[in-house]
Amino acid sequence: MKKLVVVVGVVVAALVAGLQGGAAVASPISQDYVVSPNPSDLTPRVQEGAVYKMLQLGGIMFAGGEFSSVKPYNNSGTIARSRLFGFNPVTGGLTGFHATFNAAVWAMATDGRSLWVGGYFNNVNGVARTGVVKMDPYTGAVDTAFNAQLTGSVTDMALVKGRLILGGAFGKKLMAVNPATGADTGYIKLAITGAPGGTNAGQTKVFRFAVNPAGTRLAIVGTFTSVGGQLRRQAALITLGTYGAWTSTWYSTLFDKPCWSETPTYTRDVDFSYDGTFFVIVTTGGTSPNNRDLICDAATRWNTNDARTTYPVWVNYTGGDTLLSVQVTRAAVYVQGHQRWMNNPGGNNTAGPGAVSRPGIAALNPHSGLAYSWNPTKDRGIGGYDLLLTSTGLWVGSDTTHIGGEVHERLAFLPLP
């Protein structure tokens, strides 16, 4: 079936093979409006390093990353917090949660009662736990009944239908464990192997993933060349069945191609739409001016149709700058990185024809991929690794200190209008 592939600034026709996805399932949070570019004044100030992950559990917001101290929004004194803290998202006041991690926090999940935390650590509060730990969200105490006995880091996780799915650089790279004990359930038995470009790509890992609202699809990105014995470089779509998981037929050969800078692996984040009908992947990798066969330094939209395809529905290129995180709503696709521009397919570390200035953060039209006029502006830094959608707005975690013309150290909140 012939469909239009919209490369921002260029419109081309391409053949995209595929079947239509199943019935849409509405997400609990869809957001019908673009959030305000004016940040809230009541957010804590992370004093150094970066925020890599955020999570809300009822009236508590958690922020994890690589840092050792936090200040309240009113700058009333420094409070020691080792790589994870909790605070009230309305008032900005810190909670009594207190824990000590010996390395960075990258992932979190909750069932509303407990908190699971993933990262590069192997010790939490003096308790040996590698990659993942279960905690009391009010005190920070370790739940010693949970021990997944991993041998490497965890960089993403999610609770899906009673299973805790983990992604990272540990032995299996992707697994589903019992949320009470940490034992491998055997639900995911997909071998994830290889590294695009060999040793230049780093260790094989699932870096980030997204689960569709129905809990039936898992989109993964990272450093790998094979998933479940099938060729899948850097990105794959996995079907989550009743009794097990398998590699879907969705795939694009564009992910087989290295970027012009010879970056062998460049996918950085992925998120599903509110209804699960499509997902968006963001990348690093270098400029590829006017070359639609490379999807480096870009955001790309893909339909969830379980079919082998080649070209995305649309591409929005930065023209030479990395995108690190993405969050999809009904109204917008938010992207964050250290980009200078969007709508820039002809740029080569320059503003090409049609480029618009969008430093650090941007909102794209989900249907066309074009950047909205929304432009809070943000320090670029290395970039922001997490965007968190809530019923009241968008949380922004990064390694920078200014957004919307205001000081917001490594953590900001953009409310719905």
Side-chain angles (χ1 to χ4, degrees), residues 3 27 44 167 192 197 347:
K3 294 185 178 180
S27 169
I192 297 178

Side-chain angles (χ1 to χ4, degrees), residues 55-58 62 108-117 135 137 157-159 164:
L55 175 83
Q56 186 165 10
L57 189 166
F62 288 95
M108 285 182 274
T110 184
D111 61 356
R113 300 181 301 275
S114 299
L115 177 69
W116 290 264
V117 182
M135 314 186 77
M157 63 170 64
L159 273 169
L164 181 64

Side-chain angles (χ1 to χ4, degrees), residues 171-173 190-196 204-205 223-230 232-233:
K172 290 182 69 174
K173 320 306 178 193
L190 298 170
I192 297 178
T193 60
T204 303
K205 61 181 176 291
T223 304
F224 48 82
T225 59
S226 176
V227 177
Q230 299 186 46
R232 296 291 186 273
R233 288 179 178 264

Side-chain angles (χ1 to χ4, degrees), residues 5 10 54 67 78 83 100 136-137 146 162 210 212 233 249 254 258 265 270 275 303 311 335 338 350 354 364:
V5 177
V10 183
M54 299 166 293
F67 50 81
T78 301
R83 301 180 173 95
T100 300
D136 184 308
F146 178 93
N212 72 337
R233 288 179 178 264
T249 55
L254 295 182
T265 177
V270 59
D275 60 2
N303 286 333
Y311 294 103
V335 295
H338 61 243
T350 57
L364 315 180

